[in-house]
DNA sequence: CGCAAATCTGAACGTTGTCAAGATGAACTT
DNA sequence: AAGTTCATCTTGACAACGTTCAGATTTGCG
C-alpha cells in the first residue's frame, strides 16, 4: 500500500495531522486575524475533533509556537533575500530594515503570533540567534560588511541588538494612523520606513557624551 | 446623605464602580499577569456581578482601554520626571530612553495591555501625540534642546518617531534571556540599555548614502 | 411623593481550553 | 497470518469566559 506523504515519518491515522493543524491555523490567521484563532476552530478547519490536537501539541500555546517558528523561518528567508537583492553593503543594511518591517506589514497576523510567542517566553527563538546563517547573524554580518569592521565585538553585538530593536519597534508602530499624513508627505510607505530608520542616527548622536 | 467620592459625577449605587473596576483590573494585572485578567474576575474582585461592568464599559476591550489610558499617563509622567532629573539636555535624551524602558520593565503587565491596545486600534493614544506637553512632545522638545535646532521640521518628526520606535522595540526585547550574559558583562541592566541606545547610531550611520 | 432613568443582579446562551475514557486503526512480534 | 501493543482520534464532559436580557433596586428630578 502506498503512502501519500513521502518524507520521513508519517506514522499516523490522518496522514500528517500536525502539519495539517499548523496549516489550518495559518489559514485562519490570514483570513480572520489572530483574535479569531481558537484551538477548536483549527481542529474544525482541519476536520478533526476538538481533542485531536492534544496528541500533537501539549497546549494551544505549543501550536502557536509551531506557527511562530515557521513565521520566523519565513522572516529569515525574507531578510536573506533582501540582502541578496541589495547592490551595495550600505544599501543592504537599509534593505534589511525595510524587509523586516515589510514582512510584518504583509503578514500582520503571523507577525503578531510571533511576537506574542517571544513575549510569553521572554526570549527570541534560539535558532534565530544561534547558528551561523541565522537572521540575527545576517544582520550582524551585514553591519560588518557595510563598514563596521574596526569595531570591538561588544560594540558590534550592541549595534546588532540596536538594529533589531529599531526594526521591531518600527514594525509594531509603522501602521499607526498618526503617521499616515507623514507617509503621504514622503511619498509612500517605503520612503517613510527608510526615513525613520535613517533618522535613528539623529537620536543616537544626540545622546553621545 | 453624604457621598464618599467627592469629585464630579458619582451618580451610582456603588459609589464609583467605574473607578473601582479599573483599580481592580490593575490589581489583578499586577498580581497575576495579563493572561489572568478576565472581565468576570475584575467584577468579582470589585464585588459586583459579572454583568455589572457592562453599564460602564461597552466591552472588555473598553475596560482595557481605560486601564491602558492610565498606563500611558503614568508613562508620560515617568518621562517628564526623568527629564527633570537629568543634568544636561544630552543626558536627558538618554534618560528618556532608559526611563521608557524601565517603565515597561517595572510594569510589564500594564505595559503589555498598553501595547496590545495600541496594536488593536492601530494607533497610539491621541493624548500621547497631540497636546503640547504630551509624552511625544517631551521627546521632540528634548531632541531640539539637545542639539537638533537647525534641522527641518520633517527631520525632527522622523527623528522623534525613530526614537520612540527604538524605545518601544527595546522595551519589548530587553527582557529576553539571550541578553542576560551581555548585561552581566556590561555591569547591569541600565548599562545595557544605554549601550544599545547609543549604538543605534552605528546602525544608522551604516545606512547613510 | 411619584416617576423615570440609571444602576445592579440572576440566569442563561454560546464558545473556549482541557481532560479522561473509550473506540479505532496501524505497526510489530512471533 | 494472527494477536498484541501503541499511537491516534472521538465522544462526552467540565469549568471558565464574554455577553445579553429581563427584572429588581436605587437614585435623582419634578
Amino acid at each position: 500500500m502506498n503512502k501519500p506523504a513521502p518524507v520521513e515519518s508519517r506514522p499516523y491515522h490522518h496522514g500528517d495531522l500536525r502539519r495539517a493543524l499548523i496549516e489550518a491555523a495559518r489559514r485562519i490567521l490570514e483570513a480572520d486575524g489572530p483574535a479569531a484563532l481558537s484551538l477548536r476552530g483549527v481542529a474544525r478547519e482541519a476536520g478533526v475533533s476538538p481533542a485531536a490536537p492534544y496528541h500533537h501539541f501539549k497546549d494551544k500555546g505549543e501550536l502557536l509556537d509551531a506557527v511562530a517558528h515557521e513565521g520566523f523561518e519565513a522572516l529569515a528567508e525574507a531578510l536573506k533575500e533582501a540582502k541578496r537583492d541589495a547592490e551595495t553593503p550600505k544599501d543592504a543594511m537599509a534593505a534589511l530594515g525595510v524587509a523586516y518591517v515589510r514582512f510584518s506589514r504583509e503578514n500582520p497576523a503571523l507577525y503578531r503570533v510571533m511576537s506574542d510567542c517571544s513575549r510569553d517566553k521572554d526570549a527570541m527563538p534560539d535558532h534565530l540567534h544561534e547558528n551561523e546563517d541565522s537572521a540575527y547573524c545576517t544582520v550582524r554580518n551585514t553591519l560588518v560588511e557595510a563598514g563596521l569592521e574596526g569595531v570591538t565585538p561588544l560594540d558590534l553585538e550592541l549595534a546588532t541588538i540596536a538594529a533589531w530593536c529599531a526594526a521591531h519597534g518600527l514594525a509594531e508602530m509603522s501602521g499607526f494612523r498618526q503617521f499616515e499624513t507623514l507617509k503621504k508627505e514622503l511619498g509612500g510607505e517605503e520612503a517613510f520606513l527608510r526615513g525613520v530608520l535613517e533618522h535613528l542616527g539623529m537620536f543616537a548622536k544626540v545622546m553621545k557624551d
Side-chain angles (χ1 to χ4, degrees), chain A:
Chain A
M1 57 197 77
N2 63 359
K3 303 293 172 45
V7 275
E8 50 165 354
S9 75
R10 84 251 78 123
Y12 306 172
H13 199 180
H14 172 282
D16 189 348
L17 184 58
R18 186 190 155 88
R19 193 87 279 272
L21 289 170
I22 295 176
E23 274 161 18
R26 294 187 65 167
R27 231 173 300 137
I28 293 176
L29 217 46
E30 211 149 320
D32 301 321
L37 191 96
S38 72
L39 229 201
R40 291 179 102 105
V42 171
R44 220 175 293 135
E45 169 86 15
V48 293
S49 85
Y54 285 88
H55 295 267
H56 303 268
F57 305 97
K58 161 175 144 302
D59 235 8
K60 181 187 183 182
E62 253 192 20
L63 205 217
L64 294 205
D65 282 356
V67 172
H69 185 89
E70 298 200 352
F72 277 112
E73 278 176 356
L75 172 60
E77 197 47 54
L79 292 191
K80 275 192 254 180
E81 186 180 321
K83 182 175 178 179
R84 260 199 308 275
D85 293 353
E87 315 211 332
T88 76
K90 275 185 190 305
D91 197 60
M93 203 57 232
L96 280 185
V98 173
Y100 187 104
V101 180
R102 201 208 300 278
F103 179 90
S104 81
R105 304 301 301 287
E106 283 172 359
N107 313 280
L110 180 57
Y111 188 78
R112 181 139 168 186
V113 170
M114 291 158 63
S115 93
D116 283 354
C117 268
S118 301
R119 289 200 299 192
D120 283 341
K121 313 198 286 188
D122 278 311
M124 50 174 141
D126 285 333
H127 73 283
L128 202 86
H129 186 256
E130 279 174 359
N131 52 44
E132 189 47 45
D133 77 324
S134 66
Y136 187 85
C137 290
T138 301
V139 175
R140 183 168 49 197
N141 293 341
T142 307
L143 276 174
V144 172
E145 297 159 18
L148 248 53
E149 310 97 347
V151 107
T152 123
L154 198 143
D155 279 335
L156 181 57
E157 202 68 26
L158 286 172
T160 310
I161 296 173
W164 201 281
C165 287
H168 174 66
L170 189 51
E172 291 226 321
M173 299 181 55
S174 62
F176 285 3
R177 280 196 299 274
Q178 277 98 351
F179 302 147
E180 232 145 78
T181 70
L182 189 52
K183 282 182 202 168
K184 280 203 188 103
E185 236 170 284
L186 288 168
E189 174 103 9
E190 172 133 356
F192 170 75
L193 297 180
R194 285 188 121 87
V196 173
L197 289 175
E198 283 167 10
H199 283 74
L200 283 165
M202 287 197 182
F203 169 49
K205 192 181 59 182
V206 142
M207 283 187 339
K208 282 284 170 63
D209 294 329

